Amino acid sequence: MTEPLIEVHDDATALATAVAGALVARLADAQERGEEPQVALTGGSIADQLHHQLTRLGNDHGTDWARVVFWWGDERFVARGSDERNAGAARAAFLDPVGADPGKVHEVPAADEVDDVAAAAAAYATTLREHGSGEFEVVLLGVGPDGHVASLFPGHPALDDEGIAVAVTDSPKPPPQRVSLTFNALNRARTVWFIVSGEAKAEAVAKALAEHPPADPHEVPAAGVTGSVETVWFLDRESASKL
Ligand code: 6PG
């Protein structure tokens, strides 16, 4: 596993601005190579700021958003029109304004579209196998105060799931039902970017980056992103305060 890279920015706005700039540059490079890069977006509070910065950059920085394939690291199993869906927020604030190709935006099925959360996870896994290149160019992950990433929570059986997408029915973070990429899927990314803001995450960040001894991913899921994956921690001063 490569050593994690760490960037510390003044505040959440500077953090989101830095991630947006890095993302458009990386995707433009991939497109220069003739690739159609795959990105897994995140939910959570930092996502709103990131979407705003990405839309502000628009199409002026080389990335052709219509040639990017979008996924989500996790999604809440709620009705398609619910304010709680990560995809709905991303479409409104970012994907629609920048002109993403709807045929390349792959959402987790909503609660009013399939029978249950297990069916949603199975359908998402099938779509990933059929339309995913098998490797994300970038996976974006928020981190919870308990060190969770996507909807992979400490001590949860989903941490050991051997598939690529897993149903969670008892998320400690509401809403309770979710679909999440698994570590198998996350660890197939070329790079994983953790985007973490605020004092509440400082402990989780310090634990996830601890080396002696390293954190147990069952206790700090953010530490479960391993393998040959490049990892970058985009932090602000508060979330970096215990490093
Ligand atoms: C979700 C997110 C989740 C989030 C973290 C951090 O759907 O809730 O994907 O993994 O990224 O919980 O969220 P906050 O930044 O809002 O604490």
Side-chain angles (χ1 to χ4, degrees):
M1 173 180 170
T2 55
E3 278 298 303
L5 302 175
I6 299 172
E7 288 190 15
V8 181
H9 299 275
D10 284 341
D11 54 29
T13 302
L15 167 60
T17 303
V19 175
L23 185 63
V24 295
R26 182 159 184 133
L27 297 178
D29 287 349
Q31 290 178 340
E32 277 290 307
R33 297 194 300 270
E35 297 174 8
E36 191 170 77
Q38 314 237 355
V39 177
L41 299 174
T42 183
S45 57
I46 196 64
D48 295 342
Q49 300 212 45
L50 175 58
H51 296 153
H52 171 73
Q53 294 301 333
L54 286 166
T55 300
R56 187 179 59 76
L57 287 178
N59 291 281
D60 302 339
H61 290 259
T63 296
D64 175 358
W65 293 110
R67 288 176 45 231
V68 176
V69 182
F70 291 97
W71 306 87
W72 276 268
D74 68 335
E75 184 57 280
R76 293 84 175 280
F77 188 64
V78 292
R80 176 165 288 276
S82 166
D83 291 343
E84 294 210 87
R85 257 179 83 84
N86 292 333
R91 280 186 184 278
F94 162 45
L95 297 175
D96 293 347
V98 301
D101 176 349
K104 293 184 171 62
V105 177
H106 299 295
E107 295 189 25
V108 177
D112 49 356
E113 297 170 334
V114 293
D115 291 342
D116 55 33
V117 64
Y124 196 49
T126 298
T127 306
L128 275 160
R129 279 192 292 272
E130 289 175 354
H131 298 277
S133 64
E135 186 174 69
F136 296 105
E137 180 63 30
V138 184
V139 168
L140 303 174
L141 291 175
V143 178
D146 59 359
H148 80 259
V149 290
S151 290
L152 300 175
F153 293 91
H156 199 283
L159 295 170
D160 296 315
D161 189 275
E162 297 185 355
I164 54 176
V166 60
V168 171
T169 58
D170 53 353
S171 166
K173 176 181 181 183
Q177 296 199 93
R178 293 151 171 260
V179 172
S180 181
L181 292 184
T182 62
F183 284 137
N184 292 337
L186 295 175
N187 285 331
R188 285 201 318 225
R190 285 182 179 161
T191 185
V192 173
W193 294 357
F194 300 96
I195 316 166
V196 199
S197 169
E199 181 69 34
K201 303 359 180 12
E203 188 75 31
V205 169
K207 284 179 179 176
L209 286 169
E211 292 181 339
H212 307 292
D216 176 349
H218 288 87
E219 294 170 14
V220 187
V225 179
T226 57
S228 60
V229 168
E230 172 196 82
T231 55
V232 184
W233 289 76
F234 288 89
L235 307 174
D236 63 14
R237 294 198 186 291
E238 290 187 349
S239 63
S241 61
K242 293 187 175 170
L243 288 180

